Amino acid sequence: MTSYVVEQITDPVTGKGRRRLIAILRGVKPHEAADMARALVDAGITMIEVPLNSPEPLKSIAAMKDAVGDAAMIGAGTVLTTKDVADVKAAKGEFVVSPNCDIDVIAKTKELGMGSWPGVLTPTECFAAIKAGADGLKIFPASIIGAAGIKAMRAVLPPSTPVYAVGGVGPDDFAIYAKAGCDGFGLGSGIYKPGMTAGDVSKAAIAYVSAHDAVFG
């Protein structure tokens, strides 16, 4: 059995020190969750999100955390209510990602000691999320405003706030988005779709990690 060890210095809430990639496994099932997590960690991706509109997502989160321990941060996506936040915490989740900027969800996430990554698309939403205590911003869907739009917003956002582009951004786009001020990326259907095997996920993850490292070193 592989022994999973994270060599980088990391922040257990924000993920600082890890590769700037969050693998989004929408549709993953509990019986395959552990293998998917191991495949991602072996490829070098150590932030993994299970959206709550997946089958039995809380079971998958718990299974992943049991499988890889501290080698990866396991969190939930599509988190819409404070009850969802509490359920994620009970399932051993470590961060919360939402498609929207919900102040109550952010506050509950921070109250329970988890990382908060709300979805935002405008400067107003960005600053509301930061004021509420968000650890990072998920620009979603990033393809709508593109790198130019993110660059314009980045000029006024606090430099210390991580900005991740999610939605319609592939490995070929990493360089232009990084130049615009993005700190990292959320990886959706390009890294996992229902029906993919752990081997398929591994191959996709290796390609994403290669693109990431070429940009960020």
Side-chain angles (χ1 to χ4, degrees):
M1 180 178 293
T2 303
S3 176
Y4 293 98
V5 178
V6 178
E7 295 180 354
Q8 306 105 311
I9 297 173
T10 63
D11 185 302
V13 172
T14 65
K16 184 177 181 181
R18 299 176 186 265
R19 278 193 175 89
R20 304 165 182 184
L21 300 171
I22 301 177
I24 304 167
L25 275 59
R26 190 179 306 277
V28 69
K29 297 178 180 179
H31 71 85
E32 61 185 351
D35 286 342
M36 296 299 178
R38 293 187 189 103
L40 288 166
V41 171
D42 286 342
I45 294 178
T46 57
M47 295 184 73
I48 305 170
E49 169 193 331
V50 178
L52 291 187
N53 56 359
S54 302
E56 299 183 285
L58 300 175
K59 288 184 179 179
S60 291
I61 290 169
M64 289 182 178
K65 195 60 192 174
D66 288 342
V68 300
D70 291 338
M73 287 177 64
I74 310 298
T78 318
V79 178
L80 302 176
T81 69
T82 55
K83 181 182 182 302
D84 288 341
V85 175
D87 289 344
V88 170
K89 178 67 174 182
K92 305 179 185 179
E94 297 163 290
F95 65 92
V96 163
V97 183
S98 299
N100 62 330
C101 178
D102 187 307
I103 303 306
D104 291 337
V105 167
I106 297 169
K108 188 66 174 180
T109 300
K110 298 314 300 172
E111 176 189 325
L112 295 181
M114 294 186 288
S116 173
W117 295 79
V120 294
L121 193 62
T122 68
T124 298
E125 291 176 335
C126 290
F127 281 104
I130 293 168
K131 185 176 181 179
D135 296 291
L137 302 176
K138 166 189 170 181
I139 307 296
F140 176 80
S143 59
I144 297 297
I145 63 171
I150 292 174
K151 181 178 181 180
M153 289 199 298
R154 200 46 163 141
V156 297
L157 293 174
S160 60
T161 300
V163 170
Y164 276 41
V166 183
V169 180
D172 292 340
D173 305 311
F174 284 2
I176 189 171
Y177 276 85
K179 187 175 181 180
C182 283
D183 299 286
F185 305 93
L187 317 175
S189 60
I191 201 163
Y192 175 82
K193 292 187 289 288
M196 290 177 69
T197 67
D200 296 331
V201 169
S202 177
K203 290 178 182 177
I206 289 169
Y208 275 110
V209 165
S210 177
H212 169 281
D213 291 356
V215 172
F216 294 107

